[in-house]
Amino acid sequence: MEIKRCSWVEGKEDIYLEYHDNQWATPVYDDKLLYEMLVLESFQAGLSWITILKKRENFKEAFDNFDVDKIISYDEEKIDELLQNEGIIRHKGKINAAIKNARIFKQIQDEYGSFSSYIWSFTDNEILIDTQENYQTQSDLSVQISKDLKKRGMSFVGPTIIYSYLESIGIINNHEHGCFRYK
């Protein structure tokens, strides 16, 4: 029997299917994965998600497996190394944002006990299910979180990036009604 998936992933490469089937819109509470997805979503701005998926392992290696404590201490030498790394997106603004955002991520962890507690507090730990299938790119929630993160000093966290982030970490479940992952 053929598995029915969201229409946007049908006919895509295996790496895309794997992401859709096993990660996208699955609730994430682990801070390391929450930071990883925030970095990947910010690097995706202006690019296709498949580009990021194909480079994901390279990003993990280049960014010390998304260890926030290591990333907050990156210096100019490390930034230059990242700018020379052909396995990742070599965008100085996004690299600098990943480092600055790691520092703020750590501050949020200290304030809330975990980044997970912070991000899930916006929905009182509830998963939001979009039943409209309208493929929106932002919402009141993503605008609210984006404003809060920007107020704290984060970059590359606009409402569209945050909306995609909320989908990727399972706060928003946008699987289509006919998809086997829709709940």
Side-chain angles (χ1 to χ4, degrees), residues 73-90:
S73 65
Y74 283 4
D75 56 15
E76 287 302 318
E77 184 178 328
K78 180 63 177 185
I79 293 169
D80 289 341
E81 177 188 314
L82 291 168
L83 287 169
Q84 300 304 314
N85 188 332
E86 294 180 5
I88 65 168
I89 308 300
R90 297 176 294 170

Side-chain angles (χ1 to χ4, degrees), residues 107-135:
Q107 291 169 359
I108 292 170
Q109 285 179 316
D110 291 344
E111 181 180 344
Y112 284 83
S114 69
F115 189 82
S116 178
S117 294
Y118 163 79
I119 199 70
W120 282 94
S121 73
F122 285 93
T123 64
D124 293 324
N125 297 308
E126 295 294 322
I127 298 168
L128 305 179
I129 297 176
D130 182 357
T131 58
Q132 299 176 23
E133 295 189 21
N134 58 6
Y135 301 108

Side-chain angles (χ1 to χ4, degrees), residues 2-166:
E2 188 174 326
I3 294 174
K4 175 73 173 131
R5 294 180 172 92
C6 294
S7 60
W8 58 266
V9 78
E10 292 296 339
K12 302 282 186 178
E13 297 178 47
D14 286 346
I15 193 170
Y16 226 138
L17 297 176
E18 173 73 21
Y19 175 70
H20 169 272
D21 292 358
N22 298 305
Q23 186 174 354
W24 190 70
T26 299
V28 175
Y29 303 97
D30 176 73
D31 275 10
K32 183 177 269 191
L33 185 53
L34 288 169
Y35 177 71
E36 175 182 346
M37 294 312 296
L38 187 62
V39 170
L40 295 177
E41 290 289 353
S42 68
F43 270 89
Q44 188 266 333
L47 302 170
S48 67
W49 186 242
I50 191 69
T51 300
I52 300 303
L53 285 177
K54 288 179 177 180
K55 293 178 178 283
R56 187 174 187 176
E57 291 303 315
N58 297 333
F59 272 102
K60 279 185 181 181
E61 185 177 328
F63 281 90
D64 292 297
N65 200 31
F66 297 104
D67 184 330
V68 172
D69 292 319
K70 289 182 180 179
I71 294 167
I72 60 177
S73 65
Y74 283 4
D75 56 15
E76 287 302 318
E77 184 178 328
K78 180 63 177 185
I79 293 169
D80 289 341
E81 177 188 314
L82 291 168
L83 287 169
Q84 300 304 314
N85 188 332
E86 294 180 5
I88 65 168
I89 308 300
R90 297 176 294 170
H91 185 286
K92 190 169 187 170
K94 292 177 181 181
I95 290 170
N96 286 331
I99 299 164
K100 179 174 70 167
N101 291 354
R103 292 181 183 119
I104 296 159
F105 190 95
K106 183 74 170 169
Q107 291 169 359
I108 292 170
Q109 285 179 316
D110 291 344
E111 181 180 344
Y112 284 83
S114 69
F115 189 82
S116 178
S117 294
Y118 163 79
I119 199 70
W120 282 94
S121 73
F122 285 93
T123 64
D124 293 324
N125 297 308
E126 295 294 322
I127 298 168
L128 305 179
I129 297 176
D130 182 357
T131 58
Q132 299 176 23
E133 295 189 21
N134 58 6
Y135 301 108
Q136 62 189 20
T137 58
Q138 56 182 271
S139 66
D140 292 343
L141 178 63
S142 73
V143 169
Q144 177 189 8
I145 294 171
S146 172
K147 283 181 182 177
D148 190 69
L149 291 172
K150 286 179 180 180
K151 183 177 80 177
R152 292 170 182 274
M154 281 196 181
S155 303
F156 285 92
V157 290
T160 300
I161 289 171
I162 294 301
Y163 189 81
S164 291
Y165 177 65
L166 296 173

